[in-house]
Amino acid sequence: MTTDFENAVSARKARLQELQRELAEKGARFIHVHMPEINGVYRSKTTPFKLSYNGDALNAILYCVAHSDGNPLPVPVFGGPISNDDNGYPNIMALPDPASVRHHGWDPRFASVILNSFMLDGRRCGLDPRAILQAQEDRSRKLGYEPIFALEYEFGIFHADHDLMRAGRYRELKPWGHSFVNYDLVRSGDYQSFMAEFIDRLASLNIGVASVVTEYGYGMYEFALAPKPALEAADDAMRAKLHLRELCAERGMVATFMTRFQTPGRESACGGHHHQSLWRDGKNSFAAGANKLSEVAQHYLAGLLARLPESHLLFRPTVNSYRRLDRGAWSPEDASWGYENRTAAVRAITTPVADAARFEHRVPGADINPYLSIAAMLAAGLDGVEEKMALEPAAPGNPGVLNRPGLSRTLKGSIESFTGSAFIDRVFGAEFKAHYALSRQAELDAFDSWMAAQITDFEFQRYFIGT
């Protein structure tokens, strides 16, 4: 019997060989090889142009790295079962996905590709975020639906000061632009040329940008991506973040997708909203007219809401995520929905035309891993369709009066809901569930450890002369 790895090599080899010839003829000399890790960023290497159609080695420790490699604590990794002292931190195997190969139009010397990972015995790696999402996309297609997603990210751009950044003094960086005005074309003199270059670069990777705008807040901006099938939408989101950072670095700036970098209650936080719909035979299966939902859409939405509390960790995965949780700032606090209601967890959009019908999931911040967040949403929605779940009435305004199930206000509470979930077990597998919970607990432990070593401004101001 052949292994998962052998089957993948057999299915991909001819296309990878073909792409090797095509891109070499077009001038590709180097390739960025991307591995999506748990925290929602790529770990990448640059090599002379070669598509490793027989597979390659992958350091398994990359599934155990902390955000920013542990900064500000000297603990860059957590000891997961896949890579630790006991097993000697082994390599596993990886294979490029030919569907993810892109030639970089702004610098044709470069191409890029995204990997899938496999264990040394040939099994699919249970921690591979792309494979987890692919399984849910396949499930949707078996039901006769093409799942379509589009992500929008709010983010910050600052003028880079490497001395300040090395010292961890990010608060002192100066935001790009002179105002905090929404939808402004003249926030800075180079804003339009910067965004035009960003859009052009993504277009050369077959990534569509629906819009870019200035957001409410100093240094705050937003881009919205064009809709794609689920896995490609996640690939696009990851690449868009990477190449925005790359363009910023070239121009002496730095981008952040930290969910809240301003004090709560001031200016916007960074959301990562997910637009989604199901299509069949070229038609939107959610469409039913203005302020109406098809039967399929109602069931899908009921599933989204039913599974939201237990999958909340995937949408708010860091300590900082919970600084954004504020209905007054349009960041949802419960499992609610409404037509064109930005204070609810899910905003149902049914205009201006039937094909625009979709759900905007407003819970995630910009710090998500899009493979995991899309997988959780799609799995929940499909549960609703398969089980014909009943939908609660829409919230006409503030959903708080309806007493819908609340979402945890702490990382600790979200971890507990996640680890107790049979839905997470079924969709993500026990191996991933345990590993991801371990990674989030490591984040919480790191924050608690850091806080325990500090004397805060609150303590000085409250107790220095008050005791």
Side-chain angles (χ1 to χ4, degrees):
M1 180 179 293
T2 57
T3 66
D4 295 335
F5 179 74
E6 291 167 336
N7 289 335
V9 169
S10 177
R12 299 179 185 185
K13 186 171 185 177
R15 180 56 180 154
L16 287 169
Q17 290 174 321
E18 183 180 23
L19 288 166
Q20 175 79 35
R21 292 189 295 269
E22 288 179 6
L23 270 64
E25 291 172 0
K26 293 178 179 179
R29 294 173 50 206
F30 308 98
I31 189 163
H32 299 313
V33 182
H34 301 312
M35 175 267 193
E37 46 103 310
I38 292 296
N39 299 315
V41 297
Y42 284 143
R43 298 287 172 156
S44 307
K45 64 180 180 181
T46 303
T47 73
F49 181 64
K50 177 187 176 183
L51 292 169
S52 300
Y53 45 78
N54 286 321
D56 207 345
L58 176 68
N59 192 336
I61 197 65
L62 294 177
Y63 280 123
C64 300
V65 289
H67 292 271
S68 297
D69 284 9
N71 194 45
L73 301 178
V75 187
V77 300
F78 61 93
I82 195 170
S83 184
N84 53 54
D85 284 337
D86 293 336
N87 64 16
Y89 302 97
N91 280 346
I92 56 175
M93 299 188 294
L95 187 68
D97 180 355
S100 73
V101 174
R102 298 290 185 272
H103 196 199
H104 296 193
W106 67 96
D107 189 342
R109 296 175 302 166
F110 286 89
S112 58
V113 67
I114 309 171
L115 301 174
N116 286 116
S117 58
F118 300 83
M119 304 305 291
L120 293 179
D121 62 7
R123 290 178 295 117
R124 178 184 70 81
C125 177
L127 306 182
D128 182 345
R130 294 185 83 244
I132 290 169
L133 176 52
Q134 181 69 70
Q136 293 307 310
E137 188 173 67
D138 291 345
R139 174 188 173 196
S140 183
R141 288 171 177 162
K142 288 178 181 177
L143 293 173
Y145 298 106
E146 183 68 24
I148 300 297
F149 280 75
L151 273 66
E152 60 182 60
Y153 280 99
E154 295 159 329
F155 56 95
I157 298 182
F158 294 81
H159 295 283
D161 183 318
H162 291 205
D163 289 333
L164 288 177
M165 292 165 69
R166 277 190 291 268
R169 293 160 58 188
Y170 295 97
R171 294 175 186 270
E172 299 175 44
L173 296 178
K174 295 180 180 178
W176 180 45
H178 59 74
S179 76
F180 55 63
V181 177
N182 272 305
Y183 292 80
D184 181 13
L185 291 178
V186 291
R187 183 180 283 188
S188 63
D190 53 349
Y191 167 75
Q192 294 184 52
S193 65
F194 178 95
M195 292 304 177
E197 177 65 16
F198 176 60
I199 292 170
D200 281 346
R201 289 190 181 191
L202 292 192
S204 79
L205 303 176
N206 193 34
I207 300 174
V209 177
S211 66
V212 291
V213 297
T214 62
E215 260 289 350
Y216 174 62
Y218 288 105
M220 282 286 296
Y221 302 86
E222 176 191 293
F223 64 76
L225 299 177
K228 291 278 191 71
L231 179 59
E232 190 175 0
D235 286 343
D236 285 359
M238 293 281 283
R239 279 182 152 131
K241 287 178 62 177
L242 171 64
H243 293 300
L244 177 77
R245 286 183 162 129
E246 178 184 51
L247 181 58
C248 283
E250 290 173 13
R251 299 199 179 195
M253 299 189 291
V254 59
T256 179
F257 292 85
M258 177 177 172
T259 303
R260 181 168 277 286
F261 52 81
Q262 302 285 12
T263 303
R266 293 179 53 196
E267 306 173 23
S268 292
C270 296
H273 303 157
H274 291 46
H275 295 253
Q276 56 204 278
S277 55
L278 298 179
W279 290 64
R280 174 176 279 175
D281 299 328
K283 296 181 179 180
N284 189 332
S285 296
F286 287 179
N291 288 335
K292 296 179 182 178
L293 297 174
S294 70
E295 183 178 349
V296 168
Q298 292 179 48
H299 294 322
Y300 185 97
L301 178 52
L304 273 185
L305 298 174
R307 308 295 191 225
L308 179 51
E310 59 198 300
S311 57
H312 189 226
L313 182 64
L314 298 167
F315 310 141
R316 287 177 169 139
T318 71
V319 172
N320 185 251
S321 301
Y322 297 83
R323 309 283 192 191
R324 173 178 166 265
L325 205 156
D326 177 6
R327 195 195 310 281
W330 299 355
S331 181
E333 299 180 9
D334 50 29
S336 56
W337 77 281
Y339 291 106
E340 289 294 348
N341 190 340
R342 286 184 168 88
T343 66
V346 180
R347 170 185 168 221
I349 301 169
T350 59
T351 58
V353 295
D355 281 353
R358 64 192 186 276
F359 298 127
E360 179 193 34
H361 201 304
R362 298 181 56 81
V363 175
D367 55 357
I368 46 93
N369 181 325
Y371 298 109
L372 305 180
S373 56
I374 294 176
M377 291 178 194
L378 181 56
L382 295 178
D383 276 5
V385 172
E386 290 182 318
E387 298 175 26
K388 298 188 182 301
M389 292 184 186
L391 181 63
E392 297 279 358
N398 184 347
V401 301
L402 300 179
N403 296 316
R404 298 289 187 249
L407 303 177
S408 175
R409 304 192 71 86
T410 66
L411 180 58
K412 179 181 179 181
S414 293
I415 293 171
E416 290 172 353
S417 296
F418 180 88
T419 55
S421 170
F423 166 73
I424 296 297
D425 261 330
R426 173 166 51 84
V427 172
F428 292 87
E431 179 186 6
F432 178 88
K433 178 182 175 181
H435 185 87
Y436 192 74
L438 185 64
S439 79
R440 297 308 92 194
Q441 187 62 49
E443 284 300 301
L444 185 57
D445 291 346
F447 180 75
D448 289 345
S449 173
W450 186 86
M451 282 295 293
Q454 312 301 313
I455 306 297
T456 65
D457 286 347
F458 176 92
E459 292 166 277
F460 274 109
Q461 294 180 38
R462 196 169 189 92
Y463 305 124
F464 192 84
I465 62 173
T467 55

